[in-house]
Amino acid sequence: MIIAIVGAGLAGLTAGKILAQKGHEVIVLEKSRGFGGRLSTRYAGKDLDVKLDHGTPYLEANGESFQLFINELVDKGVLAPWTDSFGFHNEEGFFESHPSREMKTVYAAPNGMNSVGKYLSRWVDVRNNTHVSGITMVAPGSKWKRPWILNMTDSSVLEADALILATPAIQASGLLQTAQDETPVRALHALTSTIKYDATFTMMLGYGEMDIPGWKGVYCQNDVIGFISNESSKRNNQELTIVAQTNKQFSYTYRDVDPAVVKTRMSDALSQILGKWAGVPKWSQLHFWRYAHASNSLKQHFLESSQEEAPLAIIGDYLGGNSMESAYVSGLKLAEYWSEKLSVK
Ligand SMILES: Cc1cc2nc3c(=O)[nH]c(=O)nc-3n(C[C@H](O)[C@H](O)[C@H](O)COP(=O)(O)OP(=O)(O)OC[C@H]3O[C@@H](n4cnc5c(N)ncnc54)[C@H](O)[C@@H]3O)c2cc1C
């Protein structure tokens, strides 16, 4: 059976790995050239030779299954324990440890967060730079052999026996809208279209060769910055590098503002939090994540269409939570269920 998965993020690749291990042919279609979706790494700096995590900065588990997955990644050398304490900054100053955050070990990827996606992609056929623009459920008696046709923006098509949409809800909702006017698909569209997202700006900054600060990350309470990650403490970057994320309110207010203005506001805030040096980097790069965090979620771990002849499921971080852990659990739960239901004879 060919299972097509749209989206090579944590949810899609987790489901893909398990279904491939059960004997299915899994094809993952990914519009970008990377693996891991929002678990992402950029080459930045003047010579584009410095790796920085400009999406999720670290992994942490609350539940058992995600902790087991993290342990597997640590065993394989993909992750390493990063810290068990973050700093905190507010109008009263800088604190070595967060006053209210319950701390446990969090994990970083020495070779970049996208190595998590690369690790998971070994079991499946990932087709990068492949943007799915529409899905069609094939009518009985048509010339197509399989119940799903996926249309790409480059006009190519893929036939599949089962389909999983593992994109942010907004994109899943858009794809569901392109399907024929089938009632079960419409029901899924109605559910996914209720999900909203918060945006985030991330700024990657390099300071040349400087002493690396002792803190690994700092949670901040101010008008601009929400979190600062000390990227140099994750890997042997030759220079001091940090990634700063803006908070929800700033990201919303500045979403359509000139990026140069955003950078200035962020640099000014960094110099207030960390010291003057932080506002005068040798280089910096800004990225805008329009769909960084789901601001609401659905309680189910996955959604499934009731049409048995054309299996279709939806997974992602907004199902059963709104975090990287819920993305993983969503992919895992669907794959366990479909492993039984679509078992290879
Ligand atoms: C800056 C930042 C910081 C974050 N910090 C944290 C944190 O501290 N803790 C936490 O729990 N979470 C955090 N998150 C959120 C976390 O990264 C996500 O919840 C999780 O990675 C989502 O995984 P996913 O597989 O559901 O979706 P994604 O990672 O978004 O994967 C979906 C994939 O689908 C692809 N795609 C979309 N549409 C199409 C299409 N039409 N055709 C082909 N491919 C398509 C996308 O390119 C993407 O690769 C952060 C996110 C960001 C951006």
Side-chain angles (χ1 to χ4, degrees), residues 60-265:
E60 74 178 312
N62 291 310
E64 197 186 342
S65 59
F66 198 49
Q67 187 62 58
L68 286 173
F69 173 60
I70 287 178
N71 295 348
E72 176 186 335
L73 294 171
V74 172
D75 279 353
K76 301 288 178 193
V78 176
L79 292 183
W82 187 34
T83 186
D84 52 14
S85 130
F86 282 131
F88 178 71
H89 181 271
N90 65 7
E91 72 278 358
E92 289 171 27
F94 190 96
F95 300 86
E96 287 295 318
S97 62
H98 199 292
S100 56
R101 202 185 132 88
E102 189 213 325
M103 268 316 284
K104 49 185 171 231
T105 305
V106 304
Y107 299 81
N111 287 317
M113 199 53 101
N114 64 348
S115 50
V116 175
K118 281 186 194 156
Y119 170 74
L120 287 170
S121 69
R122 286 186 209 163
W123 285 268
V124 294
D125 171 7
V126 180
R127 303 193 182 165
N128 290 102
N129 303 310
T130 306
H131 192 153
V132 181
S133 55
I135 57 173
T136 307
M137 200 188 295
V138 171
S142 103
K143 62 169 182 154
W144 302 97
K145 293 195 205 76
R146 301 178 198 275
W148 284 106
I149 306 290
L150 286 82
N151 299 90
M152 319 303 164
T153 46
D154 66 3
S155 306
S156 61
V157 294
L158 176 77
E159 282 187 79
D161 299 292
L163 172 61
I164 299 172
L165 302 183
T167 67
I170 295 199
Q171 287 139 354
S173 174
L175 285 174
L176 290 166
Q177 219 169 6
T178 66
Q180 297 300 319
D181 195 19
E182 305 283 350
T183 308
V185 176
R186 279 214 306 268
L188 298 181
H189 173 258
L191 285 169
T192 51
S193 58
T194 61
I195 303 298
K196 305 283 176 262
Y197 283 83
D198 293 323
T200 301
F201 288 98
T202 52
M203 184 148 83
M204 297 156 264
L205 305 104
Y207 298 90
E209 286 191 32
M210 271 180 67
D211 289 345
I212 309 296
W215 51 266
K216 304 290 172 72
V218 185
Y219 277 94
C220 308
Q221 262 176 13
N222 58 66
D223 293 344
V224 183
I225 307 286
F227 183 72
I228 307 167
S229 160
N230 178 350
E231 292 293 303
S232 326
S233 67
K234 294 178 176 174
R235 56 193 70 97
N236 294 328
N237 286 345
Q238 297 231 308
E239 62 174 320
L240 171 61
T241 49
I242 65 173
V243 173
Q245 294 175 23
T246 53
N247 66 31
K248 187 165 125 178
Q249 186 56 48
F250 180 90
S251 313
Y252 179 76
T253 311
Y254 281 75
R255 66 196 183 286
D256 295 321
V257 171
D258 180 352
V261 174
V262 175
K263 277 176 114 177
T264 305
R265 286 294 317 267

Side-chain angles (χ1 to χ4, degrees), residues 6-12 29-31 36-39 54-58 130-132 166-168 171 175 202 245 289 292-293 316-317 323-324 327:
V6 184
L10 185 57
L29 306 154
E30 169 55 50
K31 68 178 179 181
R38 281 170 273 169
L39 302 187
H54 76 311
T56 309
Y58 59 86
T130 306
H131 192 153
V132 181
T167 67
Q171 287 139 354
L175 285 174
T202 52
Q245 294 175 23
W289 291 95
H293 305 271
D317 59 347
S323 65
M324 60 192 128

